[in-house]
Amino acid sequence: MKMKGWSSCFAVFAVAVFALVVAAPGQCAPPKKWDRSADVVVVGAGGAGLAAAVSAAEKKVSVIVLEKMPNIGGNTIISGGGFNTADPERQKRQGIEDSFEHHFQQTLAAGDFRADPEKVRILTHQSLDALHWLESYGMKFNDNVTQIYGALYPRTHNAVESKGLGYIKTLKAAADKLGVQIFTEMKVEEIVRENPLEGRVLGVRVTDKVGKTVYVQAKKAVVLASGGFGANKDMRALHDPRMRDLTTTNGPQATGEVLVQAMDVGAYPVGMDHIQCNPGAPPGRTLRVLLHMDTSRYILVNKGGKRFVAEDERRDVIREAILNLPEKFGFSVVDDVGYNFHDDIARKTVLKGVETGDAFTADTLEELAKKMGVPPDVFVETIKKYNEFVDAQNDADFGKKKHNLKKIEKAPFWSCFSGMSVHHTMGGLNINTKTQVLDRSGNVIPALYAAGEVTGGIHGANRVGGNAIVDIMVFGRIAGANAAQ
């Protein structure tokens, strides 16, 4: 009798658990009829999504791209646009020694060896191919490479067109030519899998701009390229509470719900507490002004007018240095040469910042200091000392590298607030080297691929500046090509 009662209780419990499982959010049952259909369905029309779509379409399959925002581009279109790769042709002209292996080793070390070495090797060793692939579609890059903020080495290729606009325009033109269908204001609500937590992925359930439910079938595969969660305060605070009240450099689309939907069908995330910050608007201010993109042309000073960190350090090191200041912000300072390094869009933002009080300019260092609210005598002495370090080719205070030591001496002088803004979420879905999404046991979820910031394990604890565009292009191409098979 006792055993019988236990068995009955267990049976009731099992039924209840089963009912919860089949009714859980994200366990979307296949529809009786699909409203749209394509061989490959790509979620997200940023750089990773468009790279995947073009790569898939090159294989002569039909492709649909679904974008929840009214416009395409994602974070790529508002990014700095730097693209890291060893490049024998461009670097040799500048006397720079480099290699894919050097890029690989630097990237692994910069992420504290928390990234998957196999994926890092793919990222770095296929980077030049990805650059040439973009160039084959008409993308233009400047002849000289630089070292942008957080890049660690002069291998950054800067697009001729401002920010990330050139990537999106190039890939959109290629997608149009190859017959890719792009639908905006189509928000993915659920991923459709054959059975709860098993079977292949069949497509997605979407809500269109008028609130109508649309089921989109993927005959071959779904590629998730929806970006990270940098604009989701609650989600980022869940993994690092310090991140809740910071501003963000991300667009409003970066809310991470597709990442959660993938988890609902069995995907497993990695590295979710690895959240990167970049100089941006401090809390209480809204305009992000950029004067830090060339590490050789700017310095950081605190409210006391003194430097406090090497400006070419890793991004996480600079993040901690700024967040540890009492005010939690410093100032980026350049001379007119440094100001003119920045592209048209960045310079226009600086001029706007001068009007709003987020940036400052003056013909003398003393006048600039007064506008910034820092002690003029200390600030002038800081610049003088720094320029002496440049002459000596030795930053005795913080160890900034020799090739990044250039004087601040040509008027007018410029500065802006540099707080910390959430910039990149390195954590996301675990994928293999084919970009197939993996479950908690490390098994492939059939017909589900992912690329870009929705994935994790590629950058480790810290992302090298200029590696994000490489990431989305290299792995976007792989995801699209494999999804099309």
Side-chain angles (χ1 to χ4, degrees):
M1 287 292 294
K2 192 173 183 180
M3 289 299 294
K4 183 177 179 182
W6 168 253
S7 299
S8 299
C9 288
F10 182 80
V12 171
F13 175 74
V15 170
V17 169
F18 179 75
L20 285 172
V21 169
V22 297
Q27 308 290 323
C28 187
K32 294 180 180 179
K33 181 181 179 182
W34 296 93
D35 300 296
R36 295 185 185 277
S37 181
D39 292 320
V40 175
V41 175
V42 179
V43 179
L50 292 178
V54 171
S55 181
E58 288 175 337
K59 303 295 184 182
K60 310 300 182 184
V61 300
S62 59
V63 182
I64 284 177
V65 179
L66 303 171
E67 170 57 52
K68 73 175 181 181
M69 301 299 287
N71 301 301
I72 68 171
N75 275 347
T76 303
I77 203 167
I78 59 174
S79 71
F83 188 110
N84 284 347
T85 182
D87 183 340
E89 184 179 348
R90 286 180 174 90
Q91 288 177 310
K92 186 176 181 180
R93 289 198 299 264
Q94 294 175 245
I96 300 168
E97 293 291 331
D98 201 7
S99 66
F100 299 136
E101 186 64 20
H102 186 208
H103 189 186
F104 166 72
Q105 294 293 345
Q106 281 193 317
T107 299
L108 264 186
D112 292 331
F113 300 94
R114 299 289 297 276
D116 181 339
E118 290 185 59
K119 299 189 190 86
V120 176
R121 187 171 294 281
I122 289 170
L123 171 81
T124 54
H125 285 62
Q126 295 188 24
S127 55
L128 188 58
D129 284 344
L131 184 94
H132 290 161
W133 179 70
L134 288 164
E135 289 178 322
S136 75
Y137 281 113
M139 183 79 184
K140 301 293 184 184
F141 292 92
N142 292 326
D143 289 335
N144 287 341
V145 300
T146 63
Q147 180 179 331
I148 63 167
Y149 174 80
L152 305 182
Y153 200 75
R155 62 169 67 94
T156 307
H157 297 62
N158 296 290
V160 170
E161 201 149 6
S162 294
K163 291 187 173 288
L165 181 61
Y167 297 99
I168 299 303
K169 288 174 67 174
T170 298
L171 292 173
K172 174 62 163 61
D176 290 344
K177 186 176 180 180
L178 291 167
V180 174
Q181 298 181 77
I182 301 175
F183 297 95
T184 58
E185 297 183 272
M186 297 282 276
K187 183 180 179 182
V188 173
E189 304 287 357
E190 290 181 305
I191 297 168
V192 182
R193 195 172 179 183
E194 283 182 307
N195 296 296
L197 304 181
E198 63 181 16
R200 73 183 296 273
V201 167
L202 304 174
V204 292
R205 179 174 71 82
V206 181
T207 299
D208 68 12
K209 62 182 177 180
V210 297
K212 180 184 176 182
T213 295
V214 180
Y215 285 92
V216 184
Q217 181 186 30
K219 296 177 182 177
K220 289 181 176 289
V222 170
V223 178
L224 304 181
S226 53
F229 55 94
N232 188 329
K233 288 188 175 185
D234 291 336
M235 193 168 179
R236 68 199 197 203
L238 180 67
H239 302 287
D240 188 339
R242 299 175 304 165
M243 303 293 119
R244 178 183 294 280
D245 296 324
L246 298 183
T247 58
T248 181
T249 66
N250 289 204
Q253 79 287 341
T255 47
E257 68 271 11
V258 173
L259 190 160
V260 176
Q261 292 159 13
M263 292 166 62
D264 286 340
V265 297
Y268 194 74
V270 293
M272 294 290 283
D273 60 331
H274 298 153
I275 299 175
Q276 184 173 85
C277 296
N278 267 11
R285 309 195 76 91
T286 57
L287 182 64
R288 185 188 187 217
V289 182
L290 304 182
L291 286 174
H292 65 277
M293 294 307 293
D294 184 348
T295 55
S296 70
R297 296 289 183 183
Y298 92 108
I299 64 168
L300 280 166
V301 300
N302 59 22
K303 188 71 174 174
K306 296 182 178 181
R307 291 176 69 216
F308 55 92
V309 68
E311 295 81 7
D312 58 354
E313 259 289 5
R314 287 171 28 163
R315 289 182 172 183
D316 56 341
V317 172
I318 295 176
R319 177 194 67 196
E320 296 304 311
I322 288 179
L323 290 181
N324 285 331
L325 294 173
E327 303 82 11
K328 301 194 184 307
F329 68 82
F331 299 91
S332 294
V333 181
V334 299
D335 68 0
D336 206 46
V337 177
Y339 168 75
N340 282 296
F341 165 84
H342 293 79
D343 61 38
D344 291 341
I345 294 176
R347 291 199 299 271
K348 288 177 181 177
T349 305
V350 174
L351 294 177
K352 183 179 179 181
V354 171
E355 295 176 2
T356 62
D358 293 285
F360 314 92
T361 186
D363 290 327
T364 68
L365 292 171
E366 290 87 352
E367 184 184 356
L368 184 68
K370 291 176 183 177
K371 291 182 177 181
M372 293 162 59
V374 305
D377 55 339
V378 177
F379 181 66
V380 171
E381 181 61 29
T382 295
I383 301 298
K384 178 184 175 183
K385 187 177 183 182
Y386 179 77
N387 286 339
E388 290 172 352
F389 289 158
V390 177
D391 286 333
Q393 286 293 280
N394 177 31
D395 178 6
D397 283 348
F398 297 102
K400 190 172 183 179
K401 297 177 181 64
K402 290 181 181 180
H403 63 267
N404 287 327
L405 290 173
K406 294 179 182 177
K407 287 187 175 181
I408 295 175
E409 59 182 355
K410 183 178 180 181
F413 302 98
W414 305 80
S415 69
C416 65
F417 284 108
S418 285
M420 277 288 112
S421 292
V422 173
H423 183 63
H424 190 101
T425 50
M426 280 83 75
L429 302 175
N430 193 22
I431 58 172
N432 61 18
T433 56
K434 296 179 180 179
T435 74
Q436 294 168 299
V437 177
L438 306 178
D439 65 18
R440 67 181 182 180
S441 299
N443 299 317
V444 167
I445 297 177
L448 187 62
Y449 295 79
E453 201 172 343
V454 75
T455 68
I458 293 172
H459 302 287
N462 171 69
R463 180 176 66 76
V464 173
N467 272 5
I469 299 291
V470 183
D471 173 7
I472 63 178
M473 296 304 162
V474 168
F475 288 101
R477 289 182 72 197
I478 293 170
N482 287 334
Q485 297 303 318

